[in-house]
Amino acid sequence: MPLPSDLAYALDPAALMASTGNLPDPWQARFLRSRAQRVLLLCSRQAGKSTTTATAALHEALYYPPALILLLSPSMRQSQELFKKVMQVYRQFKTAGKLVEESSLRLELPNGSRIVSLPGKDETIRGFSGARLIVLDEAAWVSDSLYYSVRPMLAVSGGRLIALTSPWGKRGWFYKEWTDGGDDWFRIKVTAHDCPRIPAAFLQKERKSMPENRFLSEYMCEFVDTSDSVFSYQNVMDALSSDVKPLFPVIGAAR
Ligand SMILES: Nc1ncnc2c1ncn2[C@@H]1O[C@H](COP(=O)(O)OP(=O)(O)OP(=O)(O)O)[C@@H](O)[C@H]1O
Ligand SMILES: [Mg+2]
């Protein structure tokens, strides 16, 4: 006997995405079906990371009420873009009810769940508590300071954290968690080759028309030194030495 559609969507966020007209790519389905508490999505440009995460946020809001979902992006423009994606998915999802409240950065569902999209500043998020899901979009550009002020918000709520981005050099918390963050994280890497909507011929032309390190970063998910780095990551690491004694005593250092 087929499941009533709402139960099918509740059980399977990938089915919810398919119902909006976007058949999920294999990685999108894998991500949507995971209930991992901590997720890192390292993706090519245009792979579909914002659309998929918007679907995940909506699924959480629809089927785990009353849920508070915070979408954090590095800038106001990016917050607006991500929120537009949420609204697009919401409108395409046929069984969604009428909204109680809707503004350019916030919606409230009849079941009491809220999705709030915010530009990432420590001060703006400190007023929120009890988030069931926190999404960090363009995470490589989200400051370390914001990341470390977000984490304690999940201590009491037991909520989930999803960070999605293309890489931006060997720097910052995302790079650290991706390369050295241990088994707490469920990691998904999606290069442009894994995205069926990015044709191979387009990629070949892109490779020829941009610096190699830029191509590797934008499309191949590689943490390479970017053109705005004065010194390469390797130069900096090579310059560090424990043989050199500090000129002045380091306050708080063990004797
Ligand atoms: N499974 C899918 N089927 C069809 N279209 C899709 C699918 N997933 C994403 N798209 C489309 O691909 C385009 C890019 O998606 P999206 O903006 O989510 O990607 P992104 O990785 O966040 O891009 P950017 O790197 O620019 O932030 C959009 O037009 C979106 O609707
Ligand atoms: Mg995006």
Side-chain angles (χ1 to χ4, degrees), residues 206-223:
E206 285 289 275
R207 187 162 215 152
K208 284 189 190 137
S209 64
M210 59 170 62
E212 182 70 1
N213 64 350
R214 192 67 196 258
F215 177 83
L216 294 174
S217 183
E218 298 279 5
Y219 294 109
M220 295 298 134
C221 303
E222 290 194 19
F223 293 96

Side-chain angles (χ1 to χ4, degrees), residues 101-160:
E101 188 198 323
E102 178 194 339
S103 68
S104 61
L105 288 175
R106 179 192 162 98
L107 67 78
E108 184 168 345
L109 298 172
N111 66 12
S113 288
R114 290 172 295 152
I115 300 180
V116 184
S117 195
L118 296 165
K121 291 209 178 66
D122 302 17
E123 314 87 79
T124 44
I125 60 137
R126 277 179 195 271
F128 290 94
S129 64
R132 173 175 288 282
L133 169 64
I134 297 182
V135 170
L136 298 173
D137 194 13
E138 306 290 356
W141 283 264
V142 165
S143 70
D144 285 9
S145 161
L146 180 66
Y147 172 62
Y148 292 119
S149 62
V150 156
R151 287 191 60 110
M153 294 175 72
L154 301 167
V156 175
S157 70
R160 303 174 66 205

Side-chain angles (χ1 to χ4, degrees), residues 17 22-23 28 45-51 85 138 197:
M17 180 160 171
N22 287 335
L23 197 63
Q28 291 174 321
R45 296 297 312 282
Q46 288 291 293
K49 54 194 174 298
S50 297
T51 308
K85 290 247 151 88
E138 306 290 356
R197 289 168 298 285

Side-chain angles (χ1 to χ4, degrees), residues 5 10 19 29-30 37 105 123-124 143 146 153 170 172 205 218 235 237 251:
S5 59
S19 83
R30 201 151 58 90
Q37 285 291 102
L105 288 175
E123 314 87 79
T124 44
S143 70
L146 180 66
M153 294 175 72
K170 292 176 177 175
K205 281 192 195 146
E218 298 279 5
N235 289 154
M237 295 315 284
I251 294 167

Side-chain angles (χ1 to χ4, degrees), residues 190-208:
V190 187
T191 72
H193 294 311
D194 304 319
C195 177
R197 289 168 298 285
I198 304 182
F202 172 85
L203 280 179
Q204 267 173 15
K205 281 192 195 146
E206 285 289 275
R207 187 162 215 152
K208 284 189 190 137

